[in-house]
Amino acid sequence: MSTGNMNLTLKVWRQKNNNTKGALVDYKLSGISPDMSFLEMFDVLNEDLINKGEEPVVFDHDCREGICGMCSMFINGRPHGPKDLVTTCQLHMRSFNDGDTIVVEPWRAAAFPVVKDLTVDRSAFDRVIAAGGFISVNTGNAQDANNLPIPKMQADAAFEAAACIGCGACVATCKNASAMLFVSAKISQLALLPQGQPERYRRVQSMVAQMDAEGFGNCTNTGACEAECPKGISLENIARMNRDFATSKFISEETV
Amino acid sequence: MSGFGNAFSSSIGKKFIMGITGLFLILFLIVHCFINALIFINDGGLTFNIGAHFMATNWLIRAGEVVLFIGLLVHIFQALRLTLQNQKARPVKYAVNDGKANSKWYSRSMGLLGTLLLIFLVVHLKDFWVVSRFTGIPTVDANGHEDLYAVMREKFQDPVRVAVYILAMFSLCYHLLHGFASAFQTLGWNHSKYNGIIKGLGVWYSIIISILFAAMPIAVYAGLIN
């Protein structure tokens, strides 16, 4: 890893577990390269801490390629930092200046309890998916893809919704800690395709009910989620979910 | 669960109620604003008083008034419920939160703007609604109608009241700037062919309504109409 000449002050949220109170702790870092990713900068910090015999900062990460949805830092008041359409792992230190103070906090939401330091438990998202974010199919060979004609626009919109990596930036940045963008993307990716139709109106009812049960807040259409989403998931998905929800409650005769 | 189930108690259902009552109040403001704008005919309030007399005596309007108050109260109480829930959804606040990087300040301040409007509404209802419905308008005009116009002229001689009304119209403007388009999004009306029209209409509506309302106390206080 290259060394560099950036000197930074980090204010990092340290919290032992969900039962204890956390606090911001100051760390001085020097010799940081502008080519490092934000997570590599944290690796340097953790090496320092380990060498000094202190507890390293716990943070979520996996692929470091911007596609897995694990990394999750709230950097200087924004999820995944100052750049649009990137995850924390794809954020580089050249986006900051020498001498900067950087405040790093975990996602904050009642539905995302802190596990330790910057790591939060996002299994609420898994339970929302499990409530209906799937299609039921018979086992056996998949039929030929061309048997199901899908208009290009429809396929593109479904694909764009499916780009959601479930990182939780939408919840983190929403002033109400609402999960509407995530849930609507997971509903839309199926509602837009023929395979999703049989369970379309059961799905929206079950997933919205689970979303509410997890304790996420209510959407006030500020649009912060769309602006901060590293995958550019659109607010159109939320409107589609609302439409489908209204249809499921007032037109469909099937109530879940 | 039978019938409509949790149609209105779920998070989306509660938002439907906010959107529907909001759009209803938006329609009411159009009626309210254009009847009041009759003062600009500048005929000593004669036409305005005809409008006010009609609004005060027509049974359909009076029934509508009850619906209006119900709509307003539902909008307020639902907003309060949603706000309390939303605060519970984030018990530990961020030390640093750069809201302006991703959203408009007024979209994040609907509760504050709404509260200012509610305070204004108490003053406003006491100024005019209580007088015209309960305590009685003291004088009549040349047509023999209750002279609400005279009450208005008298009230707007007070510079403090005029200032309060103007400030309230700023709150109204920003509340509507977010609320108008937001109601459509909540009710699922997000469509590439209509989004531009909805957003544009929302901006024009918010600005025109607020300016017209604010112009009334200003015109009376400045003596531009008699």
Side-chain angles (χ1 to χ4, degrees):
Chain A
M1 199 179 294
S2 62
T3 54
N5 52 7
M6 288 179 83
N7 298 303
L8 300 165
T9 306
L10 288 180
K11 286 178 181 291
V12 182
W13 186 261
R14 302 303 308 262
Q15 184 170 348
K16 201 164 175 230
N17 55 47
N18 196 36
N19 301 321
T20 53
K21 280 188 99 170
L24 287 171
V25 178
D26 288 18
Y27 297 102
K28 296 266 181 209
L29 272 180
S30 55
I32 296 296
S33 161
D35 300 328
M36 282 181 190
S37 77
F38 201 80
L39 297 186
E40 284 167 341
M41 183 268 293
F42 260 84
D43 293 338
V44 172
L45 170 68
N46 277 346
E47 284 292 329
D48 281 0
L49 291 176
I50 291 166
N51 286 339
K52 279 191 275 186
E54 293 178 34
E55 276 271 304
V57 179
V58 175
F59 61 91
D60 264 331
H61 63 108
D62 192 10
C63 75
R64 300 205 178 193
E65 290 178 337
I67 54 172
C68 77
M70 274 308 278
C71 55
S72 56
M73 293 178 183
F74 206 77
I75 303 161
N76 282 345
R78 298 183 68 184
H80 299 300
K83 290 271 187 191
D84 288 341
L85 298 171
V86 293
T87 52
T88 299
C89 62
Q90 296 290 294
L91 176 70
H92 289 85
M93 297 316 294
R94 54 179 171 268
S95 300
F96 299 88
N97 297 315
D98 184 33
D100 274 1
T101 298
I102 306 172
V103 181
V104 188
E105 297 173 76
W107 287 174
R108 297 200 190 280
F112 287 165
V114 171
V115 175
K116 186 171 183 177
D117 296 336
L118 301 174
T119 296
V120 297
D121 179 359
R122 284 170 284 185
S123 49
F125 272 8
D126 299 341
R127 290 188 290 274
V128 171
I129 299 260
F134 51 79
I135 55 166
S136 305
V137 289
N138 293 325
T139 54
N141 282 346
Q143 61 173 324
D144 187 84
N146 292 326
N147 284 350
L148 280 175
I150 302 168
K152 173 82 170 124
M153 265 188 78
Q154 205 83 351
D156 284 351
F159 188 83
E160 280 162 22
C164 168
I165 51 176
C167 66
C170 45
V171 175
T173 198
C174 176
K175 70 184 267 284
N176 312 317
S178 166
M180 293 275 279
L181 194 68
F182 165 79
V183 179
S184 69
K186 297 301 172 195
I187 286 172
S188 287
Q189 66 184 13
L190 300 173
L192 285 161
L193 297 176
Q195 292 91 337
Q197 298 313 307
E199 290 152 307
R200 182 171 183 175
Y201 297 110
R202 292 183 64 84
R203 178 181 306 118
V204 67
Q205 295 183 64
S206 307
M207 289 178 76
V208 168
Q210 188 61 37
M211 170 179 84
D212 291 351
E214 295 293 346
F216 292 108
N218 307 286
C219 175
T220 52
N221 302 324
T222 66
C225 51
E226 182 187 51
E228 296 292 8
C229 175
K231 297 296 160 186
I233 304 294
S234 162
L235 286 182
E236 277 172 53
N237 294 305
I238 295 183
R240 182 179 299 107
M241 171 170 71
N242 292 357
R243 278 201 300 277
D244 279 7
F245 184 79
T247 306
S248 74
K249 290 296 182 192
F250 300 111
I251 296 171
S252 160
E253 292 194 10
E254 185 181 26
T255 309
V256 178
Chain B
M1 222 180 280
S2 66
F4 295 109
N6 64 346
F8 286 113
S9 60
S10 75
S11 60
I12 297 180
K14 278 184 240 156
K15 290 291 304 167
F16 284 160
I17 292 175
M18 286 306 286
I20 293 165
T21 51
L23 287 177
F24 170 61
L25 295 171
I26 281 172
L27 286 175
F28 156 73
L29 282 182
I30 297 177
V31 178
H32 184 19
C33 186
F34 283 92
I35 287 183
N36 281 30
L38 293 175
I39 63 166
F40 295 119
I41 293 175
N42 209 4
D43 57 355
L46 288 178
T47 316
F48 170 74
N49 283 344
I50 293 171
H53 180 75
F54 171 76
M55 295 304 278
T57 50
N58 184 283
W59 67 269
L60 198 63
I61 301 287
R62 296 307 297 272
E65 191 178 63
V66 175
V67 180
L68 174 65
F69 270 101
I70 293 171
L72 183 67
L73 289 174
V74 169
H75 194 74
I76 293 167
F77 281 108
Q78 194 72 293
L80 198 64
R81 246 176 97 192
L82 286 165
T83 306
L84 291 175
Q85 274 188 354
N86 291 344
Q87 282 173 352
K88 254 177 50 188
R90 177 164 296 137
V92 183
K93 307 286 175 231
Y94 288 107
V96 179
N97 195 350
D98 190 3
K100 67 178 186 309
N102 52 40
S103 52
K104 297 271 194 290
W105 71 268
Y106 49 85
S107 76
R108 301 190 307 274
S109 313
M110 291 297 275
L112 172 71
L113 293 168
T115 307
L116 290 176
L117 283 175
L118 181 60
I119 294 168
F120 161 74
L121 215 52
V122 172
V123 175
H124 180 55
L125 287 175
K126 189 173 161 292
D127 280 354
F128 297 105
W129 185 72
V130 170
V131 174
S132 63
R133 296 285 187 278
F134 299 104
T135 54
I137 295 166
T139 55
V140 290
D141 67 8
N143 290 336
H145 291 135
E146 308 86 345
D147 201 352
L148 187 61
Y149 183 69
V151 176
M152 186 183 193
R153 288 193 51 170
E154 185 232 309
K155 297 278 184 193
F156 289 150
Q157 297 309 316
D158 177 3
V160 176
R161 184 177 276 114
V162 172
V164 167
Y165 273 64
I166 294 168
L167 287 176
M169 289 311 105
F170 275 102
S171 300
L172 180 68
C173 186
Y174 282 111
H175 197 77
L176 289 170
L177 273 177
H178 178 69
F180 191 99
S182 178
F184 284 89
Q185 162 77 6
T186 292
L187 297 172
W189 201 337
N190 182 325
H191 187 294
S192 58
K193 287 185 181 166
Y194 299 98
N195 283 352
I197 300 171
I198 292 167
K199 290 226 168 80
L201 205 63
V203 171
W204 282 109
Y205 169 85
S206 312
I207 293 173
I208 291 173
I209 284 274
S210 309
I211 288 182
L212 273 175
F213 273 132
M216 294 163 195
I218 294 173
V220 172
Y221 183 72
L224 298 174
I225 50 175
N226 53 45

